[in-house]
Amino acid sequence: MACRYAPGKSMGRRVVPVIRPQEDGGFGFSSVKIGWNRVSQPLAPWARGSVFGTSHRAGGQTMGSEQEGQLDRLRHSTAHVMAEAVLEIFPEGKLGFGPPIENGFYYDFDLPRSLTIEDLAEIEERMKRIIEGDYPFEHREISVEEARVLFANQPYKLDQIDRLASGQEDEHGEAGSEPISTLSIYSHHNFTDLCRGPHLERTGQIPVDAFKLLSVAGAYWRGDEHQPMLQRIYGTVWETKEQLDDYLWRLEEAARRDHRKLGRALDLFSVQDLGGPGLICWHPKGARIRRIIEEFWYQEHERGGYEIVYTPHIGRAELWNVSGHLDFYRESMYAPMDVEGQEYFIKPMNCPYQILIYKSRRRSYRELPLRWAELGTVYRYERSGVLHGLLRVRGFTIDDAHIVCRPDQVEDEILGVYDFSLSMLRAFGFRDFAIYLATRPDKFVGVPERWDQAQRALERALEAQGLPYEIDEGGGAFYGPKIDIKVKDALGREWQTTTIQFDFNLPERFEMTYVGEDGQEHQPYMVHRALLGSLERFFGALIEHYSGAFPVWLAPVQVVLIPIADRHNAYAYEVAAQLKAARLRLEVNDSGDRMQAKIRDAQLEKVPYMLILGDREMETGTVAVRLRNGQDLGDLAVADFVVMAQSAIAEKRDL
RNA sequence: GCCACCCUAGCUCAGCCGGCAGAGCAAGCGCCUUGUAAGCGCUGGGGCGUCGGUUCAAAUCCGACGGGUGGCUCCA
C-alpha cells in the first residue's frame, strides 16, 4: 500500500550524465515522454512510469517473470533498508513513497536539510550495517486506527492511510472503490513502513556489494506540483556484484553516447546562450546529415503519394483562435507580436495553414485523399526545466503531413501511414519498435462519442496489421487520439518518433468540406502525422543510436585521405578528385601530422573510411583502405574502393 | 516552473579552510617526412558566467540574475 509503486513516473538515475526526455516529435503534441524514458529490458535505468509503469502500477509484482518479481522484492527491501538508514541520521525525517523501479528503487523523504552526495556515502555505510544485522522482515495486518497511531508522526503516511481508508485509492495505487479496513505493514530492525510488500525474508539477503545509491533529486509528493517537494534518493541493487557492475557500465556507455557530448565533439550542433536556450544551431557537419535526411524524406514522400507544401512561420491571432490553439495551447505559444495593430503569433504547429490551403477552393470527393507534407519549423515555449539537448527544444522542425480524406478512407490511410513510418524508420537503422495507442486526455475538444469512434478506428487499423501495442491512457492530443511509435536504439532505449493523430476538431472548427458524390457538402476526416517526429529529436536519437558512428550514407565525412608524407599530397588530391566525382564526401588530411596521428583523428571523428596513401599506393595507383572498425583491407584500386563505398551507401550499410 | 548541484582559457579539468590564475588537448609557428589510434619544441590565449555585497584582500564567502546538469511537474 504505502510504498506501492510510485504514482507518477519513476526513473532510475545514475552517477553519469545521461539522457532524458524531450519534446515529443509529433505536431508537438507531445504526451509521450521519451528520452530517457526509453525503457526496455537490456538497459534502461531510465525506465519511467508512463506507459511502462502500467505494469508496475497495476500491482507491483506483475513484472512478468518470476525473476523480475524476485528483483522487485530485493529492490523494495533495499529501499526500506535505505529508509531506515536515513531515519538513523534524521530521526525527524518524514517518509514518502519508496518503491522498486526499473533497475533499482527510490525513496522520498522530507528532511530538515538538503542531502548531499557525501550523505549518500554515509547512508550506504549504515545500510551495510543493517544488511549485515540480518534482521527479519515482518509482515502484519493492522487496523486503520492502529495505523494512525503507529504513523502519528508521519504526515505523508497518514495522508496515504486516509486515501486508502476512504477508498480514494486501492493498495495498488489505482483509483479505488472500496474503503479498506486493514492495512499492511512491514517491519525490520527499527523500521516500520506502511507497505503492501512483498519483501525478502531477512535484510541479510541483500548482497552488500551489489547495491549503490546513485543520486538525490527533488520530487513532488504524489507527483503533484502543488504538493511539497520531497528529496528523492535513487539507488540500484542487483543480485550479484557482476550485475551491478554491468548496470553501471551500461550507464557509462549511455553517457558516452550522449548526443550533447557527441554533438560538440563531432561539431554537429550547438545551443548558444546568446541565442537562447532550446534553440539549435546546426553546424556544417550536422547540417549535412540533416540535408541527407531531408532529401531522402522528400524523395520517399513523393514516392508515397504526398505533395509538398510550404507555409508561413507566423500568423494572425484569428487563425489561432479558429484553430483553438489560443484556447488550448496558449501557454505553450510564444507571446504575440504587434504588427500594424494586429496580433501575430509564431506558429506552434503547421496544421492550420495547411487547412487554409485546403480551403482555398472547393474540394471534391474525387480529390481525396489529399496528402500534404512539409518540413515545418515551429516554436513552442517550453518551461526552462524541461529543455534538453536536441530532445526537448523550443524550436524544431516537424516532418509533418496532413491527410484529408473521406470517412471510408481513413482506416486505409492510417494503415498506409503506419507502413510508411516503419519503412522510413528501418531505413535509418532502427529495427525494434514499441507502439502505443494514446487515448483521450483530460483536456479535450469534441464530444466523447467521436473520440470513442476515432479510437476504435485506430484500434482497427492496428489490429488489422496484427501489431502488438499498448494503451497510453489519456495520452492523446487535445483534438484527437493517436498512435505513437517509438524506436528502440542500440542500447534498447525507446525514442519517440512517429505519431499518427486523428483529428476531428480542426475540420469542424475550420468548416472544412468536400462535395460528395451526392452533391452535398460533407466534412472530411483529417489525420496529422510525423514519421521522424522532429528533425532535432530524431537527429539526437540517431547520434545516440550510432554513437556518432553514422552509416556511410549518413556520415558527414565518408572518407579521409591520409597521405603519409608531403610528397604524397599531390597523389591524395588526385584521388580526392576522383572520389569527389563519384559524389563521395571527403577530406584530405594534408597537415604536418604523422600518419598515426591522422588515423587517430579520423577514428575520433568516426569517419567510415580512411585511405592511406604512400609510395606503394602512388606507384600502383591504389589506396590502402582502413575501416573505422580498425580493419585493414589493404590496397585497392580507386575504382574498386568507389564501388565498395557506393554499395554501402546504396544499401544504407554501416560500412 | 519546482528541488538539488554546477558554471575557471576553444575543449576536458586542477586550483583545500580568501592574499593579485594552472595543466593536458586543441590552435599558431618551427623541426621531423613519417606506413595503420597521439613525433618533438616554441608561442599566443582566460582574470575565473553576470551584477552586487562582505573583507585590507575573493576564482575562492553571501545574494540576485543568466546558463547548464539530475530529477519532479509539464509536454495539443
Side-chain angles (χ1 to χ4, degrees), chain A residues 2 86 123 231 352 406:
Chain A
V86 170
I123 295 168
Q231 297 190 67
R406 304 188 307 258

Side-chain angles (χ1 to χ4, degrees), chain A residues 20-23 259-260 271 276-280 334 380-396:
Chain A
R20 42 358 286 306
Q22 69 316 337
E23 103 256 46
H259 71 280
R260 294 164 303 179
V271 179
L279 302 172
I280 307 302
Y334 275 98
R380 301 177 183 175
Y381 165 70
E382 297 277 3
R383 299 211 277 182
S384 61
V386 307
L387 298 175
H388 178 84
L390 293 172
L391 304 184
R392 186 89 178 251
V393 296
R394 285 181 174 160
F396 54 100

Side-chain angles (χ1 to χ4, degrees), chain A residues 13-14 53 77 153 155 297 307 311 339 372 463 579 601-602 609:
Chain A
R13 224 294 294 172
R14 48 248 135 237
S77 297
N153 294 320
W297 187 91
E307 297 268 31
T311 64
V339 181
W372 292 344
E463 267 149 27
L579 300 185
D601 288 345
Y609 304 116

